[in-house]
Amino acid sequence: MNYQQNAKPDVREQVLKHGFSYPSDEELVMLILGSGTKKSPVRRLARSVVEALYESNDKNIVPDLLAIKGMGTGKSLAVAAAIELGRRRNAHLHSVITQPKDVVPFVKNYSVMPKEHFLCITLNGGHEIIKIRVVSVGTINRTIVHPREIFSEALVENAAAMIVCHNHPSGSCAPSREDIETTKTLIEASKIIGITLLDHIILDRDSYFSFLEHDLLFTPVE
């Protein structure tokens, strides 16, 4: 095996075919590392990394990785960064939402996006977060959503309720006429489908707007 070769093509192909739940921890690390060294082929290096991760705590991850022969600063930081990114992406799981501001920390990163992102946060019967997903991405000031895009995945996830959210790149989180009309449409769809729409939250860089907090969620606005 050529140590300069990237992670084995079969690993890449299998991930592309089956998704990231398919490979082992070792194979996931191989994808992160990309290549090994002359004395430490990528699979052997990945095995050492996995063993180190199982024995490390958060504080010692980087030093423990650097102690592995063949793991330089770049590779060690790449692995540590991937772990931290995964932690951030999944920090919301099972968090209980009791009020609009409980959601904001989990979606605040979208407030700085240059394009409008429309999100759906699905919740179980205990109002614990099941998943946060991007439904659509629009232009600098507009995105287009359809109820079927919002509710299709929620049905698969057996969600009992949901919160929708989008950012305003323009810098103001005040709802537009389109935002109000979209919310009214989603409320009507939620009644038919049986998944409660708890709120629609709009984000800007500094604040948020909650339809529920402003009594706009169920009150028609002419």
Side-chain angles (χ1 to χ4, degrees):
M1 176 178 177
N2 186 342
Y3 73 91
Q4 292 293 347
Q5 184 180 5
N6 287 338
K8 294 183 68 174
D10 59 327
V11 176
R12 291 181 173 182
E13 291 168 2
Q14 292 302 322
V15 168
L16 290 173
K17 183 177 181 180
H18 300 289
F20 278 97
S21 61
Y22 175 83
S24 65
D25 290 354
E26 180 181 304
E27 289 170 330
L28 286 174
V29 172
M30 288 173 62
L31 290 175
I32 296 171
L33 297 179
S35 63
T37 68
K38 186 174 183 179
K39 295 184 178 180
S40 298
V42 66
R43 184 173 291 277
R44 184 190 307 169
L45 192 58
R47 188 177 305 119
S48 298
V49 168
V50 171
E51 291 173 357
L53 292 177
Y54 285 149
E55 298 175 0
S56 298
N57 55 41
D58 291 347
K59 183 178 180 180
N60 297 326
I61 284 180
V62 173
D64 288 347
L65 291 175
L66 287 171
I68 299 172
K69 190 172 183 179
M71 287 291 291
T73 301
K75 290 183 184 298
S76 297
L77 289 178
V79 172
I83 293 172
E84 177 60 22
L85 180 60
R87 182 181 293 113
R88 294 183 185 183
R89 292 276 294 180
N90 292 287
H92 62 273
L93 293 179
H94 306 301
S95 297
V96 178
I97 303 303
T98 61
Q99 53 190 336
K101 68 180 182 180
D102 295 339
V103 171
V104 174
F106 301 122
V107 295
K108 189 63 177 175
N109 56 304
Y110 289 97
S111 67
V112 298
M113 296 294 184
K115 292 185 177 182
E116 192 171 287
H117 288 62
F118 199 97
L119 313 174
C120 178
I121 302 99
T122 48
L123 310 169
N124 62 22
H127 287 184
E128 297 176 319
I129 295 178
I130 299 172
K131 190 174 182 179
I132 298 176
R133 61 187 172 87
V134 176
V135 177
S136 65
V137 179
T139 61
I140 192 169
N141 59 4
R142 183 179 180 182
T143 187
I144 300 174
V145 294
H146 190 280
R148 66 171 172 265
E149 297 174 312
I150 300 292
F151 290 98
S152 59
E153 291 296 324
L155 287 168
V156 172
E157 295 162 7
N158 292 316
M162 67 168 62
I163 296 170
V164 294
C165 173
H166 75 280
N167 63 306
H168 273 185
S170 61
S172 171
C173 59
S176 66
R177 172 63 62 176
E178 288 178 340
D179 294 334
I180 294 171
E181 291 301 320
T182 295
T183 305
K184 290 166 65 177
T185 299
L186 293 178
I187 290 171
E188 292 304 314
S190 73
K191 293 176 181 177
I192 297 172
I193 294 173
I195 298 177
T196 305
L197 181 66
L198 297 177
D199 204 352
H200 184 175
I201 295 174
I202 303 173
L203 302 167
D204 64 22
R205 290 176 179 266
D206 303 311
S207 59
Y208 73 92
F209 180 96
S210 161
F211 275 66
L212 179 63
E213 289 181 345
H214 288 80
D215 296 321
L216 290 176
L217 194 59
F218 302 106
T219 304
V221 177
E222 301 298 337

